[in-house]
């Protein structure tokens, strides 16, 4: 209680009758409260005795005898006590006037108590489900209140639980033990529609009349003054709910409802706490307020509610529901109730039915639609942006930044674009965190439905594709590669397959300083499945052309990596056929209008055919078809040797040497390596740590050296290719290099290192789904186990099981010829 406002009185006032025992105790309690609250310490035993005895009219000598101290000590303690009370009460207090001062304090306390008992203290509702998981939010509001932030706007999307949080916080402040922070509560709720909102002037009149028994005046300013006077005497909690209904498109008060601004300015000047809930941010620079953005409930809160209602739900389904509804408290209550009532508590059954239409519930749909319709009526340009943003996918992919939002404003001047973006943010229709933007999944569902019915559908997707396509200029890591690939789904969504192909084939400088198509870079980085699915879909949509041939060339390599060797061979043979067709058409056309363009086209067609032939040879190595592989590599060398495609001849030379080595033609293999192979190794030694573009063929060279029993050179190759692959994020070559090194250390009987290398390689290859390489990994595991057991390693397991797994992978890849080769290698260790 604040007693500093007690009226001043002189020491000549008449002396009241001595306090009775009960009254004396009340006075002592008042003094103790004052000292504890204002000075931070309690009344001592002697001070308590002095107060009690002086109020009973006794002298210091009697007090000293009663307490067992000298009269002088009692007087000193009493003098210090009167000085402290004078500072606390704002008037001079002595032994002589103590009773009259305490009488006034006693009467003041009695009046305040009586007044508070007659003040309406409503029991605000506190929804159990909606309030779970709000401990952090309550702590945040408490911290703001402690920092004397008297006016707090809780803002966020509809259904987050803003009103529930405000009720809960004010209830705690009203009922806190042992002493309430608030003396009472005032509450008003604005209607959903602006034309139905009651003016602030009417609310203030009602509060004066109903809460404080004061007859309102005519003028609003005088009524505000009267209300301010009442709220200054005791701290009240004030809740103003749904303030967005009083705001215009810029977050300012509508002309008819500007009284709410005056009311808030007054409330910011009095003790107590005012909480405002709003879906939109309040933009009034004249108001001293704090905006508190309420986040959605976390997944653990949803799980708690579902557990309370005995809903059976898996972690995956719960995660999907939580992500779809963005942690929205209202949605949580509606969904949990629907699962309990209509699906017998089976969360999986609910999700199976509603995952394609998450807003199927009328209540959920209305929650979203009201907010969007309000945006459409207040800010049509921001509404158009909202609809266009629906085209952006919500797949947990690359972050959408402000450039992506600007891409959807192709018809809006640059100077006005940020204003529209901010309009969506103020209304909690656009989420923003550390420079990243996103639409709540439920909002996005509504936005894309509206976009589909608008003329902006195709243009929005083209803009999105262009944004992602141009946002990445150089690819040095997987995140950048995936961001560039993000353009692809937008082209597919509008059926523009030429654009989709252009996106996959757009070349950029990559981590090896190569100028490679996006699809090739993703393949080398191990992002196989999304590219494979995209290209399988796309090649069926394109007519025969050089563009389709290039896609099939990359698709063949993807099939080869996955061990789908028959499909890989068919793809590269289709490339050769299409290149030949295009070449023949070029001959028929004769003289080109643009000779330089035609020269490049010839170069490109030749390169594509040579690369397809080289890939065919590599697939046949995996199949163990040595003769066919030998023919392929010889053709590559013949076509590329000493030409502008000479690099392919060097690669084919290493591959051919490996074929000879596997066939036991070691002299031929050695001869090839002494020429082209050593040149490749020398080049790689100079550039491996910065480019790694030759890493694939350097590890093949290492395999040749193993076949030739030159383990030192083999180790050098594998170590170089491993470093290059790690620097350049090339997981397949990392794994193959480790398998090569495991063969060397196995022969050195370093079983532990060999086991580690094989284990690491196997894990990588399983992630890639590389069947043929996995077969090789399990073969090396079988050889290691068998050899270590034969060398007396009692704990070593037999390699039979690992060999059987290797053979199983070969069968999946239809590489049946290699099965006998694997068995022969295993038998050789016995």
């Amino acid at each position: 209680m604040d007693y500093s406002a007690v009226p001043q009185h002189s020491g000549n006032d008449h002396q009241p009758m001595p306090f009775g025992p009960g009254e004396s105790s009340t006075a002592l309690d008042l003094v103790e409260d004052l000292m504890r609250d204002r000075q931070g310490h309690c009344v001592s035993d002697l001070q308590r005795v002095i107060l009690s005895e002086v109020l009973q009219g006794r002298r210091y000598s009697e007090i000293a005898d009663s307490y067992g101290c000298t009269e002088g000590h009692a007087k000193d303690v009493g003098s210090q006590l009167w000085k402290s009370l004078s500072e606390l009460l704002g008037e001079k207090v002595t032994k002589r006037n103590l009773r009259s001062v305490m009488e006034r304090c006693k009467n003041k306390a009695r009046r305040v108590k009586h007044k508070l008992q007659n003040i309406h203290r409503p029991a605000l509702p506190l929804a159990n489900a909606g309030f779970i998981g709000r401990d952090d939010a309550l702590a945040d509001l408490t911290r703001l209140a402690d920092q004397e932030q008297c006016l707090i706007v809780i803002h966020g999307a509809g259904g987050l639980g803003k009103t529930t949080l405000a009720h809960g916080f004010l209830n705690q402040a009203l009922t806190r033990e042992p002493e309430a922070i608030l003396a009472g509560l005032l509450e008003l709720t604005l209607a959903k529609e602006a034309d139905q909102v009651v003016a602030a002037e009417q609310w203030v009149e009602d509060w004066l009349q109903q809460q404080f028994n004061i007859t309102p005046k005519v003028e609003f300013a005088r009524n505000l003054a009267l209300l301010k006077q009442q709220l200054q005497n005791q701290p009240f909690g004030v809740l103003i709910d749904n303030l967005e209904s009083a705001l215009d498109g810029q977050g300012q008060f509508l002309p008819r409802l500007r009284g709410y601004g005056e009311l808030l300015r007054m409330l910011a000047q009095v003790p107590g706490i005012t909480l405002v809930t709003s879906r939109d941010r309040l933009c009034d620079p004249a108001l001293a307020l704090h905006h508190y953005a309420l986040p959605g409930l976390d997944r653990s809160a949803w799980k708690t509610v579902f557990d309370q209602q005995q809903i059976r739900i898996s972690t995956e389904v719960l995660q999907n529901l939580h992500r779809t509804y963005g942690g929205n408290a209202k949605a949580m209550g509606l969904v949990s109730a629907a699962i309990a009532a209509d699906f017998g508590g089976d969360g999986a059954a609910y999700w199976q039915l509603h995952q394609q239409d998450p807003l199927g519930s009328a209540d959920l749909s209305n929650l979203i639609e009201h907010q969007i319709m309000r945006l459409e009526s207040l800010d049509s340009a921001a509404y158009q942006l909202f609809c266009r943003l629906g085209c952006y996918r919500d797949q947990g992919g690359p972050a959408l930044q402000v450039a992506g939002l600007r891409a959807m404003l192709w018809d809006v001047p640059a100077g006005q674009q940020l204003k529209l973006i901010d309009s969506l943010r103020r209304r909690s229709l656009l989420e923003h965190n550390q420079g990243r933007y996103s639409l709540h999944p439920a909002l996005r569902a509504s936005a894309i439905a509206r976009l589909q019915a608008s003329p902006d559908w195709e243009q929005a997707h083209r803009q999105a594709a262009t944004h992602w396509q141009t946002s990445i200029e150089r690819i040095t890591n997987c995140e950048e590669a995936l961001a560039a690939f993000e353009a692809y789904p937008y082209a597919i969504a509008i059926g523009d397959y030429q654009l989709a192909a252009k996106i996959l084939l757009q070349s950029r400088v990559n981590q090896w300083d190569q100028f490679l198509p996006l699809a090739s870079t993703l393949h080398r980085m191990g992002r196989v499945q999304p590219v494979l699915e995209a290209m399988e879909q796309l090649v069926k949509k394109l007519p025969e052309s050089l563009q389709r041939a290039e896609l099939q060339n990359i698709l063949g390599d993807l099939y080869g990596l996955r061990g789908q060797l028959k499909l890989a061979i068919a793809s590269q043979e289709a490339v050769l056929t299409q290149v030949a067709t295009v070449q023949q058409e070029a001959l028929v056309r004769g003289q080109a209008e643009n000779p330089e363009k035609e020269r490049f086209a010839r170069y490109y067609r030749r390169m594509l055919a040579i690369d397809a032939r080289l890939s065919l040879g590599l697939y046949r190595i995996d199949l163990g078809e040595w003769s066919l592989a030998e023919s392929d590599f010889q053709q590559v060398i013949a076509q590329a040797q000493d030409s502008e495609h000479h690099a392919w001849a060097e690669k084919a030379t290493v591959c051919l040497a490996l074929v000879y080595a596997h066939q036991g033609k070691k002299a031929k293999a050695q001869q090839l390596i002494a020429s082209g192979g050593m040149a490749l190794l020398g080049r790689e030694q100079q550039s491996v740590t910065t480019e790694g573009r030759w890493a694939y063929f350097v590890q093949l060279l290492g395999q040749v050296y193993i076949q030739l029993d030159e383990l030192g050179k083999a180790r050098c190759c594998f170590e170089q290719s491993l470093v290059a692959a790690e620097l350049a994020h090339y997981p397949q070559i990392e794994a193959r290099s480790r398998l090569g090194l495991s063969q060397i250390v196995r022969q050195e009987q370093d079983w532990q290192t060999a086991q580690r290398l094989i284990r690491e390689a196997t894990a990588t290859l399983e992630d890639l789904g590389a069947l043929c390489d996995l077969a090789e990994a399990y073969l090396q595991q079988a050889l290691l186990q068998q050899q270590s057991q034969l060398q007396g390693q009692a704990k070593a397991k037999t390699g039979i099981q690992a060999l059987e797994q290797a053979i199983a992978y070969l069968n999946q890849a239809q590489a049946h010829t290699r099965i006998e080769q694997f068995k022969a290698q295993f038998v050789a260790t016995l």
Side-chain angles (χ1 to χ4, degrees), residues 373-429:
M373 289 170 64
R374 184 170 182 276
L375 171 68
E376 184 179 12
S377 65
L378 290 176
D379 194 337
S380 60
Y383 168 78
Q384 187 177 50
L385 171 61
F386 170 78
C387 296
R388 291 174 178 178
L389 289 176
C391 79
Y392 280 117
R393 303 190 314 146
D394 179 27
Q395 302 293 329
L400 183 63
Q401 298 180 335
V402 70
L405 273 60
R406 287 182 179 273
M408 293 296 110
L409 294 169
W410 62 83
D411 51 356
V412 175
Q416 299 177 24
Q417 293 177 354
L418 289 179
K419 179 181 177 182
L420 297 181
I421 294 169
D422 189 56
S423 178
L424 295 183
R425 286 187 58 192
R426 287 200 317 271
R427 293 178 168 82
S428 304
L429 291 170

Side-chain angles (χ1 to χ4, degrees), residues 249-269:
Q250 285 68 50
Q252 298 180 348
F253 289 105
L254 295 166
R256 183 179 71 86
L257 302 173
R258 286 175 182 164
Y260 283 97
E262 297 300 319
L263 172 60
L264 289 174
R265 273 185 278 279
M266 183 276 289
L267 291 172
Q269 299 170 16

Side-chain angles (χ1 to χ4, degrees), residues 164-178:
T164 300
L165 174 64
H167 282 163
F169 177 76
L170 292 175
N171 264 326
Q172 286 191 2
L174 181 66
T175 60
R176 194 178 78 170
E177 295 293 343

Side-chain angles (χ1 to χ4, degrees), residues 5 12 16 35 99 142 207 211 223 245 248 269 278 303 311 417 421 443 484 500 520 591 601 641 656 804 806 812 816:
N12 297 323
M35 284 192 170
R99 283 179 292 175
T142 301
W207 283 346
Q211 302 289 340
N223 286 337
S245 300
D248 63 16
Q269 299 170 16
S278 177
K303 186 177 187 306
I311 290 173
Q417 293 177 354
I421 294 169
L443 288 171
S520 296
Q591 187 67 31
Q641 190 79 40
L656 184 57
E804 290 175 347
Q812 287 185 56
H816 306 301

Side-chain angles (χ1 to χ4, degrees), residues 656-710:
L656 184 57
L658 182 59
V659 170
Y660 286 151
H662 275 294
Q663 291 177 309
K665 302 175 183 177
K666 294 189 177 182
K668 283 189 173 184
Q670 187 66 60
Q671 183 180 0
L672 287 172
I673 292 303
S675 55
M678 290 305 295
L680 175 64
L681 182 59
R683 177 184 298 164
E684 186 61 20
Q685 285 175 323
Q686 296 174 4
S687 61
V688 64
T689 57
T690 56
E691 297 181 10
R693 62 177 64 184
W694 296 89
Y696 184 90
F697 296 93
V698 169
Q699 60 86 25
L700 288 183
L701 182 60
Q703 294 181 36
V704 176
Y705 281 129
I706 284 184
Q707 295 293 325
L708 298 178
D709 297 320
E710 297 187 39

Side-chain angles (χ1 to χ4, degrees), residues 621-638:
I621 286 179
D622 286 335
L623 288 167
E625 297 175 349
W626 308 123
S627 298
L628 291 174
E630 179 181 347
S631 174
D632 288 326
F633 296 134
Q634 287 174 341
Q635 289 183 63
V636 172
I637 294 171

Side-chain angles (χ1 to χ4, degrees), residues 21-40:
E23 295 173 311
S24 177
S25 176
T26 300
L28 285 170
D29 290 341
L30 291 173
V31 172
E32 284 200 324
D33 288 345
L34 283 170
M35 284 192 170
R36 183 178 61 250
D37 294 343
R38 303 282 186 86
Q39 296 180 341

